[in-house]
């Protein structure tokens, strides 16, 4: 069955038999001289033979292929008559067509044309025609025109118009094997048209290319068709055929001329409507050749007729020849056709097509006359044709509009286009997905599930989701729920195949349509098993935290986010806090979905809120129970604002408005965490054009921080039940205030005038707070306001009056200048250094130095309890500086010395004086006159600051002495450090004994053990001969001092440590 196009087989033998019978019927004339009138007598054996072949074919497709092969063989035989006898020996070797060609007797065009008519295959004829070389193609069409024009019958007219219509619908590049073999065979033989039919050779038009795509050749071919109509139109009597002829001519003039406007193709909805109309007409019209065809074939053919390709354009001259001819035809046939169209008969395809093409043609004519420069005669033709067209349509177009299409037919047509993947099936998917009246029929669901690969585009997934939700809102019965489950599963599969970028587009659309609840808002089937799915998915994700697992995790979360966005985000947020170490991985997952930066409007469109921020508030905020959870929350939030790659999911401004501004009140439980968040967001790089702080009410924010700082001046006297951030948080507030003073610049307000007004407003508000608060805003104030300080500060400092000004403060009476000076030193490193520079103490006046030193000690214990750790470090530097400059006089007494130490203590004098200064300070603080000044909770803070300073002193001593492994030859440096450690230990025990509160031993124990460890290190490194004796004496001294400590826990721990020192000493050689 498959010997090739020109192979000899059983079927070619049957065809051979048919032609032999036909040849016998024509005798004594040969078949090559057959006339049109002879065909009814001669043709049946040939058509019967083809019928027999068709009966043997296993499928209609195979039968169709054999029809094509038969026509190709006959046409080749027409163009390639038998070779001379001399070439027979060589021909069978070199010519593929030789064998089958010898089986068929010589025939003429009459056999060819009548065979094609009998088989009803004009499309097949056109495919073979357009596979011929250009000149031969044209001549063969002219043969057809002349054949039709002679003794014209209705079947001739139908055949000619069918060929014309197929020529316009033909698309290059779709040739099958038979057409390709036919084309190759004809070109191989380089034949010209045979003239045995008694037909005149056609005129030769100019033109070079060899396909329909080449303009001159294509136009020449189309002009042959117009010429054919001119020769045959008088023979066209049937209204149906007249409509067919006019439609062909109008379509040709609309598409293949400059009348066709440049623009987009027919909108897909209109296109579907037209295809459906054509299918409907063919179905109802029993005379249509497509009436008995299946829906698939009807739709394919209708789509072909909708997509004509303008491969060539008529010249202006040829266009007006065609327009003039059309005008004459409409005048001749118009009235009669209008009567037919408006009659009681159903609209047929030919009449529908005429009305449709004329409607488009009329619009094109209007546009053509308005946009082209036309001559007088051309204008007349256009205007006349325009008017005739309008009149014709006015009388007839009602029948076109009255055709109501069945919705089920339209949906079936759309589904057929999709399933067969016809030319515009991609656009049809969009109509299919969004047309709610078709949705959820059995055919619709089957079509979608079967062709879901075509719907893997974000816009189609969104349309399908909208259709699904719409259906779910109106149908909740059991059958409907099963359909919803089936379609939801298919949609999710389409979504799963999308790229991450496209998934984000879908999520954006879901959020825009249904907000945070997403599909769960209206689609109950989504909620069935969702929570379990959510838990299982995230359980797997948190167990496989790795870069390799990120892609899988993102894919899993993408599916959940599609179904229920806010529940998924809340789960991520919750796990990021409670799951140790998973917060960054979970933040990476969340940041893979920039669509989640969606802003919700809810009831206030003017104030949109971030979905992610809301989920954080609802799932996490207020539920953080441990410091670790708070730390993970902070890091998670920071990653969302500044991911390692991609766009931030939340902005610093959104975070500040949600987690900072509402909680900047001293009695808020979340204030410390809010301040940590504010510190984080201020570290986020801002857009260079405009800082985000502008949208966060920067001046009220500054005032809130100032009020918090003011609260610290009364910190130890706050009511017991009142919430207030700890002193450890004070440093954080100071740091934030410093950052804000850097970023809040004139550019963050709309105008210079408003900047000045805002500064004045803040200055006025801060004036009622502690004076130190206003001093911290100097960088913000700039030159607008001077530094306002107590008047007594001017008594001990030479302050320049162009920068500083005094204010009367009742709390700062005579002698309080040093207190104000010390408070200034606490504020910042720069201001501390300024205060040290501006301090005026006459060191040559012993009385002034003594008064300064006593006043310094009093001021120191006044400031100490209110200092944060960073403030105290600045103040410790002040003490060290003044001791080194010998401005501060701290006499060192030998109350803890049994004998005169013959050591060089000068390098360590400052550290010994510092330790003694602490001791004197605590003696004053714990005296009867001051013992009730501080509440119980303040003592632990004071002790912590003291212990922190002792630790720093130990470090300084060690640094000054150098490593104990390289002592001086006489071992003096190790002895001196050992002596200093003993003194500091005694001072510490003295302080411990004076403390009125018992809950402060823990930090004291830690530092005391640290001192003893350093003592042990240096004393052990002493290699002097008297070391063993000295160490025994020192240990005995330390034990006797420690025995007097009243705190049992402190005493027991220290004695245990000292006993170990004794054991070590006993093991050392004498």
């Amino acid at each position: 069955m498959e010997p090739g196009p020109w192979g000899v087989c059983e079927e070619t033998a049957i065809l051979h038999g048919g032609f032999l019978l036909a040849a016998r019927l024509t005798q004594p004339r040969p078949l090559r001289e057959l006339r049109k009138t002879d065909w009814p007598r001669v043709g049946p054996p040939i058509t019967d033979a083809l019928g027999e072949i068709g009966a043997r074919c296993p499928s209609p497709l195979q039968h169709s292929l054999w029809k094509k092969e038969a026509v190709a063989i006959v046409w080749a035989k027409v163009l390639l008559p038998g070779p001379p006898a001399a070439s027979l020996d060589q021909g069978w070797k070199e010519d593929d067509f030789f064998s089958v060609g010898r089986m068929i007797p010589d025939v003429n065009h009459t056999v060819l044309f009548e065979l094609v008519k009998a088989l009803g295959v004009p499309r097949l004829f056109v495919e073979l025609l357009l596979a011929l070389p250009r000149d031969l193609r044209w001549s063969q069409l002219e043969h057809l025109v002349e054949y039709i024009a002679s003794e014209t019958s209705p079947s001739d007219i139908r055949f000619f118009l069918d060929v014309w219509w197929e020529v316009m619908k033909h698309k290059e590049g779709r040739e099958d094997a038979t057409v390709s073999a036919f084309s190759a065979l004809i070109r191989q033989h380089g034949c010209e048209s045979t003239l045995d039919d008694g037909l005149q050779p056609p005129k030769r038009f100019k033109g070079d290319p060899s396909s329909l795509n080449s303009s001159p050749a294509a136009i020449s071919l189309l002009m042959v068709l117009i010429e054919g109509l001119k020769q045959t139109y008088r023979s066209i009597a049937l209204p149906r055929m007249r409509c067919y002829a006019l439609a062909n001519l109008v379509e040709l003039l609309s598409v293949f001329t400059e009348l066709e406007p440049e623009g987009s193709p027919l909108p897909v909805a209109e296109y579907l409507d037209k295809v459906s109309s054509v299918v409907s007409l063919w179905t109802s019209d029993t005379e249509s050749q497509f009436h008995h065809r299946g829906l698939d074939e009807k739709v394919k053919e209708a789509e072909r007729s909708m997509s004509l390709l303008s491969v060539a354009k008529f010249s202006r001259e040829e266009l007006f020849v065609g327009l003039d001819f059309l005008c004459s035809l409409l005048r001749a046939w118009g009235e009669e056709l209008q009567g037919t169209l408006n009659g009681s008969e159903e609209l047929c395809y030919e009449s529908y097509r005429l009305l449709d093409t004329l409607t488009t043609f009329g619009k094109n004519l209007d546009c053509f006359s308005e946009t082209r420069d036309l001559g007088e005669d051309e204008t007349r033709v256009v205007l006349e044709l325009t008017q005739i067209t309008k009149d014709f349509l006015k009388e007839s177009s009602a029948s076109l509009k009255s055709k109501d299409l069945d919705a089920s037919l339209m949906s079936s047509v759309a589904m057929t286009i999709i399933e067969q993947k016809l030319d515009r099936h991609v656009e049809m998917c969009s109509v299919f997905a969004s047309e709610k009246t078709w949705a959820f029929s059995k055919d619709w669901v089957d079509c979608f599930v079967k062709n879901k690969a075509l719907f893997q585009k974000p816009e189609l997934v969104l349309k399908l989701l909208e259709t699904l939700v719409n259906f779910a809102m109106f149908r909740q019965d059991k059958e409907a729920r099963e359909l919803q489950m089936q379609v939801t599963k298919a949609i999710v599969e389409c979504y799963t195949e999308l790229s991450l970028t496209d998934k984000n587009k879908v999520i954006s659309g879901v959020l825009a349509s249904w907000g945070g609840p997403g599909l769960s808002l209206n689609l109950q089937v989504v909620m069935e098993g969702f929570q379990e799915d959510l838990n299982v998915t995230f359980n797997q994700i948190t167990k496989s935290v790795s870069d390799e697992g990120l892609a899988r995790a993102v894919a899993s979360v993408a599916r959940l986010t599609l179904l229920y966005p806010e529940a998924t985000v809340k789960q991520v947020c919750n796990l990021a806090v409670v799951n140790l170490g998973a917060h960054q991985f979970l933040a990476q997952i969340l940041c893979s979905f920039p669509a989640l930066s969606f802003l919700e409007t809810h009831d206030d469109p003017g104030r949109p809120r971030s979905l992610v921020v809301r989920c954080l508030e609802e799932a996490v905020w207020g539920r953080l129970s441990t410091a670790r959870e708070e730390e993970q929350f902070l890091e998670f939030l920071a990653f969302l604002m500044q991911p390692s790659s991609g766009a931030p999911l939340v902005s610093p401004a959104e975070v500040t408005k949600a987690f900072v501004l509402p909680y900047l009140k001293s009695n808020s439980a979340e204030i410390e965490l809010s301040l940590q968040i504010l510190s984080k967001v201020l570290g986020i790089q801002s857009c260079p054009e405009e800082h985000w702080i502008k949208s966060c009410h920067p001046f009220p924010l500054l005032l809130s921080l100032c009020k918090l700082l003011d609260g610290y001046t009364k910190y130890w006297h706050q009511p017991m039940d009142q919430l207030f951030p700890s002193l450890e948080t004070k440093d954080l507030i100071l740091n934030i205030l410093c950052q804000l003073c850097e970023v809040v610049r004139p550019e963050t307000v709309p105008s210079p005038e408003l900047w000045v007004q805002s500064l004045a407003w803040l200055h006025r508000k801060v004036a009622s707070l502690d004076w130190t608060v206003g001093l911290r805003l100097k960088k913000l104030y700039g030159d607008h306001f001077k530094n306002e300080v107590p008047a007594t500060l001017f008594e001990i400092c030479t302050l320049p009056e162009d920068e500083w000004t005094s204010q009367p403060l009742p709390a700062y009476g005579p002698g309080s200048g040093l207190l104000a000076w010390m408070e200034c030193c606490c504020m910042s490193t720069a201001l501390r250094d300024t205060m040290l520079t501006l301090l005026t103490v006459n060191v040559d006046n012993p009385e002034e130095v003594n008064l300064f030193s006593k006043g310094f000690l009093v001021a120191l214990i006044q400031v100490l309890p209110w200092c944060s750790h960073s403030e105290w470090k600045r103040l410790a530097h002040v003490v060290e500086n003044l001791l080194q400059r010998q401005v501060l006089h701290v006499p060192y007494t030998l109350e803890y010395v049994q004998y005169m130490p013959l050591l060089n203590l000068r390098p360590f004098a400052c550290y010994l004086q510092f330790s003694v200064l602490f001791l004197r300070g605590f003696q004053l603080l714990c005296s009867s006159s001051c013992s009730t000044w501080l509440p119980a909770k303040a003592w632990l803070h004071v002790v912590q600051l003291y212990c922190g300073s002792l630790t720093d002193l130990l470090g300084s001593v060690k640094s000054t002495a150098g490593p104990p492994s390289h002592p001086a030859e006489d071992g003096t440096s190790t002895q001196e450090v050992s002596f200093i450690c003993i003194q500091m230990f005694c001072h510490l025990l003295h302080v411990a004994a004076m403390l009125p509160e018992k809950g402060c031993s823990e930090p004291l124990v830690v530092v005391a053990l640290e001192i003893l460890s350093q003592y042990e290190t240096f004393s052990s490194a002493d290699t002097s001969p008297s070391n063993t004796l000295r160490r025994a004496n020192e240990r005995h001294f330390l034990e006797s001092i420690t025995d007097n400590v009243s705190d049992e826990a402190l005493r027991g721990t220290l004695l245990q440590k000292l006993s170990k020192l004794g054991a070590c000493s006993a093991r050392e050689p004498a």
Side-chain angles (χ1 to χ4, degrees), residues 80-104:
L80 306 173
S87 64
L88 291 180
D89 290 341
Q90 196 68 20
W92 69 272
K93 297 177 182 177
E94 299 176 354
D95 189 353
D96 292 337
F97 187 65
F98 180 83
S99 298
V100 72
R102 297 290 293 174
M103 293 175 69
I104 305 298

Side-chain angles (χ1 to χ4, degrees), residues 438-450:
W438 308 345
F440 289 89
S441 66
K442 185 179 184 305
D443 289 341
W444 187 92
V445 173
D446 289 346
C447 177
F448 171 48
V449 172
K450 181 180 175 183

Side-chain angles (χ1 to χ4, degrees), residues 985 989 1005 1008-1009 1012-1013 1016 1035 1038-1043 1045 1047-1065 1067:
F985 182 78
L989 294 186
V1005 168
L1009 292 174
L1012 290 177
S1013 294
E1016 182 183 12
R1035 182 174 61 82
L1038 291 172
E1039 286 176 345
S1040 63
I1041 292 289
T1042 305
D1043 274 334
V1045 174
D1047 189 316
E1048 291 183 12
L1050 178 61
R1051 183 177 66 249
T1053 303
L1054 296 180
L1055 286 174
Q1056 186 178 6
K1057 175 71 173 176
L1058 289 169
S1059 67
K1060 290 180 181 178
L1061 293 180
C1064 292
S1065 300
R1067 288 196 298 270

Side-chain angles (χ1 to χ4, degrees), residues 93-146:
K93 297 177 182 177
E94 299 176 354
D95 189 353
D96 292 337
F97 187 65
F98 180 83
S99 298
V100 72
R102 297 290 293 174
M103 293 175 69
I104 305 298
D106 290 343
V107 294
N108 62 2
H109 282 89
T110 300
V111 176
L112 172 65
F113 296 148
E114 291 298 336
L115 178 62
V116 174
K117 281 170 58 182
L119 294 175
V121 286
R123 180 176 179 181
L124 183 156
F125 176 82
V126 169
E127 288 178 9
L128 294 171
L129 171 72
L130 297 178
L132 295 171
R134 186 203 64 180
D135 286 346
L136 193 55
R137 175 194 314 162
W138 179 29
S139 69
Q140 292 299 292
L141 189 57
E142 284 212 338
H143 277 307
L144 173 64
V145 168
E146 294 188 31

Side-chain angles (χ1 to χ4, degrees), residues 622-900:
R623 303 180 188 181
L624 302 169
S625 56
T626 65
R628 180 180 63 78
E629 287 185 356
E630 289 187 357
E631 183 183 346
Q632 291 209 163
F633 174 73
L634 282 168
E635 291 180 11
F636 180 68
L637 202 55
F639 195 96
L640 297 184
M641 289 187 287
Q642 202 168 28
S644 55
S645 62
L649 206 52
V650 295
S651 69
E654 290 169 339
V655 170
T656 302
K657 290 172 186 175
F659 300 115
V660 177
L661 298 183
Y663 305 99
L664 279 188
K665 306 180 187 73
S666 60
N667 60 351
S668 168
E670 287 84 11
I671 186 167
E672 297 201 8
L673 182 56
S674 291
L675 288 166
Q676 291 180 61
I677 292 171
L678 182 55
S679 178
K680 283 274 186 190
V681 297
L682 285 170
I684 302 292
Q685 195 70 31
S686 179
C687 171
E689 290 81 20
E690 185 175 277
H691 200 283
W692 59 264
I693 197 68
K694 182 178 180 178
S695 64
C696 294
H697 317 291
F699 283 93
L701 176 58
L702 282 163
L703 180 60
S704 296
L705 294 169
C706 290
K707 286 180 177 179
L708 286 173
L709 285 178
D710 182 65
Y712 280 106
T713 61
K714 303 177 277 290
Y715 184 78
W716 298 118
H717 303 293
Q718 300 276 4
M720 290 290 292
D721 58 345
Q722 183 174 325
L723 289 170
F724 197 85
S726 66
L727 261 173
E728 285 75 16
T729 308
K730 185 180 180 183
D731 282 336
L732 180 61
I733 296 172
L734 291 171
N735 183 51
I736 291 169
L737 190 65
C738 182
Q739 286 178 281
L740 277 173
C741 289
E742 291 280 351
V743 299
V744 178
R745 309 307 307 151
E747 303 82 47
T748 57
V749 295
S751 66
E753 295 78 15
L754 187 59
W755 170 256
V756 174
Q757 291 172 13
S758 300
L759 285 179
W761 174 84
L762 183 63
H763 183 264
R764 188 169 62 253
K765 293 288 184 181
V766 170
S768 61
L769 307 179
D770 189 76
W771 68 272
T772 57
V773 176
L775 206 57
R776 295 183 188 276
L777 299 174
K778 177 59 182 172
K779 190 167 187 64
L780 180 73
Y781 288 156
D783 296 331
H784 290 276
F785 302 103
K786 292 182 180 181
N787 294 322
E788 298 174 349
V789 294
T792 53
L793 182 59
F794 282 82
E795 297 172 4
I796 63 164
C797 280
T798 53
L799 300 173
E801 294 186 2
D802 57 333
E803 296 179 24
W804 300 77
T805 184
S806 64
Q807 57 176 339
L809 296 173
Y812 289 81
S816 63
L818 200 52
L819 173 63
W821 179 84
M822 205 170 283
E823 287 179 293
C824 287
C825 289
C826 291
M827 288 188 201
S828 70
T829 303
L831 190 55
R832 177 198 69 191
D833 295 342
T834 300
M835 289 294 106
L836 285 170
T837 303
L838 299 177
L839 178 67
T840 54
V841 178
N842 184 4
V843 292
D844 294 329
N845 185 337
E847 185 178 354
E848 186 172 340
V849 172
N850 276 325
L851 283 172
F852 171 77
S853 300
K854 290 176 182 178
F856 186 90
L857 183 61
V858 172
L860 186 66
I861 64 165
Q862 284 181 278
V863 172
L864 172 62
W866 279 265
C867 280
S868 67
H869 286 278
S870 66
E871 288 175 323
W872 178 244
K873 279 189 178 293
R874 292 190 198 102
L875 210 48
H877 176 84
V878 170
V879 173
E880 188 177 344
N881 179 277
L882 294 176
L883 287 172
Q884 287 174 346
R885 288 163 53 190
Q886 298 184 13
V887 174
L888 179 63
H889 177 57
V890 181
Y892 193 86
T893 59
L894 299 177
E895 53 195 298
Y896 294 111
V897 179
Q898 291 177 300
Y899 51 86
M900 179 64 66

